[in-house]
Amino acid sequence: CDDLALTLEATNFVLAQYNRPALTREQFRDEFQLPYPEYYARKTPEARLVDLERYYRQAFDHAVTQVSVIPHAAEFLAFCRQRGIRCFILTSMDPRAFDEQARFLGLKDYFEHIHSGVRNKEEYIYNVLRQHKLNPADTAFIGDMQHDINAAHCAGIIGIGVLTGYNNA
């Protein structure tokens, strides 16, 4: 899904709590990175992670911006289902928020298992491969951030970049 505008809105709310200037969409895409604790440690070194997450969740829950399905994503997931291609989610997104969004957008049932709330995908991706008995040679990771592509490469699987996410090309 496309949650860039919502994430930017929530991030700017967090930054405002620490008297930091708001970011434009391009500034955010140029500098944001996962794991997010490292990003916020650079932007707001005085902040405690628990407070950052609380502010972010508050902004996310009350945001005006909506999330939408990326064009052709639902069709791609239906194609995978028809062909018996197993699909999983590996996301840093809060589990409750992800579940709500996936249900609202009608996407949740396309996935065999959802791994949400993952701070470092480069470390966690091995758990996904092992838990679901996935062969790295037969597995691809589609992501919208450099961190996703790095995680794929760490695990020896194909990384497919979608350019609608939090990082620029």
Side-chain angles (χ1 to χ4, degrees):
C1 65
D2 182 357
D3 63 351
L4 174 59
L6 174 57
T7 300
L8 177 60
E9 182 180 333
T11 299
N12 280 334
F13 178 81
V14 171
L15 295 175
Q17 306 314 300
Y18 297 94
N19 298 314
R20 300 302 194 283
L23 300 171
T24 66
R25 180 183 178 103
E26 286 312 306
Q27 286 172 319
F28 179 81
R29 291 184 85 204
D30 283 344
E31 66 181 49
F32 185 78
Q33 68 180 57
L34 292 175
Y36 69 85
E38 294 172 18
Y39 171 75
Y40 281 111
R42 283 194 323 277
K43 296 294 280 184
T44 56
E46 72 278 18
R48 296 180 319 147
L49 185 58
V50 66
D51 294 330
L52 293 167
E53 289 175 339
R54 182 172 44 83
Y55 288 137
Y56 185 89
R57 174 69 17 233
Q58 179 184 350
F60 199 90
D61 288 345
H62 297 95
V64 176
T65 307
Q66 295 294 309
V67 174
S68 61
V69 178
I70 295 171
H72 311 293
E75 294 85 355
F76 177 73
L77 290 169
F79 171 86
C80 291
R81 177 186 279 168
Q82 290 170 342
R83 299 214 171 23
I85 298 170
R86 299 168 71 196
C87 295
F88 304 88
I89 290 285
L90 175 56
T91 180
S92 60
M93 192 172 179
D94 173 78
R96 181 185 56 82
F98 180 86
D99 187 65
E100 288 174 9
Q101 279 188 12
R103 287 182 194 282
F104 174 76
L105 297 171
L107 300 176
K108 186 166 182 173
D109 293 337
Y110 285 107
F111 303 102
E112 186 174 319
H113 191 88
I114 295 168
H115 299 267
S116 54
V118 176
R119 288 191 179 159
N120 190 328
K121 296 176 193 176
E122 291 178 20
E123 295 172 357
Y124 192 90
I125 196 166
Y126 298 103
N127 296 330
V128 176
L129 294 171
R130 195 170 31 258
Q131 179 180 344
H132 302 290
K133 298 179 175 60
L134 301 174
N135 179 353
D138 298 329
T139 303
F141 185 14
I142 301 171
D144 63 3
M145 293 191 63
Q146 183 62 48
H147 184 72
D148 298 327
I149 303 307
N150 292 347
H153 292 168
C154 284
I157 64 177
I158 294 171
I160 301 170
V162 178
L163 298 180
T164 58
Y166 299 178
N167 298 140
N168 60 32

